[in-house]
Amino acid sequence: MSRIVYVNGRYVPYARAAVHVEDRGFQFADGIYEVCEVRGGHLVDEARHMARLTRSLGELQIAQPMRTAALVHVMRQVIRRNHVRNGLVYLQVTRGTAPREFYFPDASVTPTVVCLARSISPARVDTNAASGIAVKSMPDIRWQRCDIKTVMLLPACLAKEAARKDGAREAWFIDNDGLVTEGASSNAWIVDQSGAVITRPLGADNLPGVTRATLLDAIKEEGMQLIERPFALTEAYAAREAFITSATQTVMPVVRIDGRSVGDGKPGAIVQRLRLKFHQFAAISSG
Ligand code: PLP
């Protein structure tokens, strides 16, 4: 079965999917993206993802390429045409193609839209979740608008590669005060010795994760203790539990940070409960 990719109005085979060499996404990382979980063939938390996409476009003054409903239609088509039951759908919008020039091109230049979907075995993610993952701390060398989901991901690539060399699946970015900002591609959480769930408040130094937002709903509904405040790496070392959230991993236990065991080195009770509960609180779109 050949993979199908959406590029600027056409559904094309993967091998022929291409954008122009002077696309501003390629030249300047001048674009934004979304990644949604696909579960049972449906989009998870579609409305929250599309709201964040609209916000990212607005913050960078990139024109909305088409109505949100039309973008969702494209995403659904790409999921269906690639027979993805469980996995992810990736949507990227760049400012478009124009001769390389720092200033924004004139309004006649239309945004580039690309959409891909990929299957991910839920069993594989569940296996990782059963054992938990390791993370490595790295200095946060990113820019000061990490609240925008841009394709400018080189610091995340460098951090994740360094983590991988140390046998860790994720990197946690640390700011100049020794506080954890977030993961390279996830939000970061700990559970303290009293059982309170702690995560950094939203700000310019972290992404408003959709999974984070849905999990906050779950935590509140479940009546669990929640504290939104920055936490230090040293606090994370001493935490009872730790975990990350992202659309593709949902709620993923962290059992080692910089080679030190978190708690007893096994996924904790609270993170396991939240992982099990997560999809009860997520919005699963029909259609
Ligand atoms: N933080 C960063 C830097 C990310 O790249 C991501 C996801 O890719 C997240 C947090 C988690 O966001 P979401 O839950 O919307 O996937």
Side-chain angles (χ1 to χ4, degrees):
M1 185 198 76
S2 97
R3 269 182 85 190
I4 299 295
V5 178
Y6 174 91
V7 186
N8 287 333
R10 295 170 58 225
Y11 295 90
V12 291
Y14 186 81
R16 286 202 279 116
V19 294
H20 196 277
V21 292
E22 285 199 302
D23 189 277
R24 289 181 63 98
F26 180 61
Q27 298 279 5
F28 296 115
D30 187 359
I32 58 96
Y33 72 109
E34 276 299 322
V35 176
C36 302
E37 183 192 6
V38 179
R39 186 173 160 91
H42 301 297
L43 283 169
V44 176
D45 278 333
E46 167 201 311
R48 278 184 162 146
H49 281 286
M50 298 320 283
R52 184 172 65 185
L53 179 116
T54 301
R55 177 180 183 274
S56 297
L57 290 171
E59 292 298 309
L60 298 184
Q61 302 160 58
I62 297 176
Q64 180 91 24
M66 53 182 110
R67 283 182 301 112
T68 296
L71 284 172
V72 172
H73 175 77
V74 167
M75 291 160 84
R76 292 213 175 108
Q77 280 293 316
V78 171
I79 292 167
R80 197 174 61 74
R81 289 176 191 231
N82 290 284
H83 309 284
V84 172
R85 296 288 303 159
N86 297 292
L88 64 84
V89 60
Y90 174 94
L91 180 69
Q92 179 174 335
V93 181
T94 78
R95 201 179 303 276
T97 296
R100 189 178 180 283
E101 170 66 74
F102 285 82
Y103 307 117
F104 293 173
D106 70 52
S108 65
V109 173
T110 52
T112 297
V113 182
V114 168
C115 185
L116 303 91
R118 177 152 58 88
S119 295
I120 300 174
S121 148
R124 228 184 63 202
V125 183
D126 284 344
T127 303
N128 284 337
S131 48
I133 63 158
V135 303
K136 175 182 169 63
S137 64
M138 293 290 290
D140 196 341
I141 58 167
R142 301 173 304 163
W143 74 332
Q144 286 161 30
R145 288 307 307 273
C146 294
D147 55 312
I148 309 172
K149 197 164 170 69
T150 79
V151 295
M152 195 174 59
L153 291 171
L154 196 49
C157 293
L158 294 171
K160 274 189 179 274
E161 185 59 25
R164 187 170 66 147
K165 289 203 171 105
D166 274 9
R169 290 187 68 89
E170 177 60 307
W172 274 9
F173 285 126
I174 312 301
D175 70 13
N176 291 336
D177 299 320
L179 304 168
V180 177
T181 52
E182 61 179 333
S185 62
S186 59
N187 290 108
W189 306 67
I190 57 171
V191 179
D192 73 8
Q193 293 301 335
S194 77
V197 181
I198 302 171
T199 197
R200 189 180 180 96
L202 295 183
D205 41 25
N206 60 6
L207 186 79
V210 167
T211 320
R212 177 189 183 281
T214 297
L215 195 68
L216 289 179
D217 292 346
I219 290 168
K220 285 169 195 159
E221 282 290 318
E222 292 288 300
M224 296 163 80
Q225 205 196 332
L226 168 76
I227 311 171
E228 277 190 85
R229 66 157 174 85
F231 62 88
L233 178 61
T234 49
E235 256 186 292
Y237 289 155
R240 193 157 99 184
E241 302 184 26
F243 58 97
I244 58 169
T245 53
S246 77
T248 50
Q249 321 250 349
T250 66
V251 182
M252 179 60 70
V254 169
V255 293
R256 257 192 351 269
I257 304 172
D258 294 336
R260 307 159 192 235
S261 288
V262 177
D264 63 1
K266 299 198 187 81
I270 289 178
V271 60
Q272 291 191 75
R273 178 168 155 210
L274 290 174
R275 182 173 174 82
L276 275 177
K277 293 258 170 205
F278 177 77
H279 284 110
Q280 288 177 24
F281 293 90
I284 316 282
S285 312
S286 54

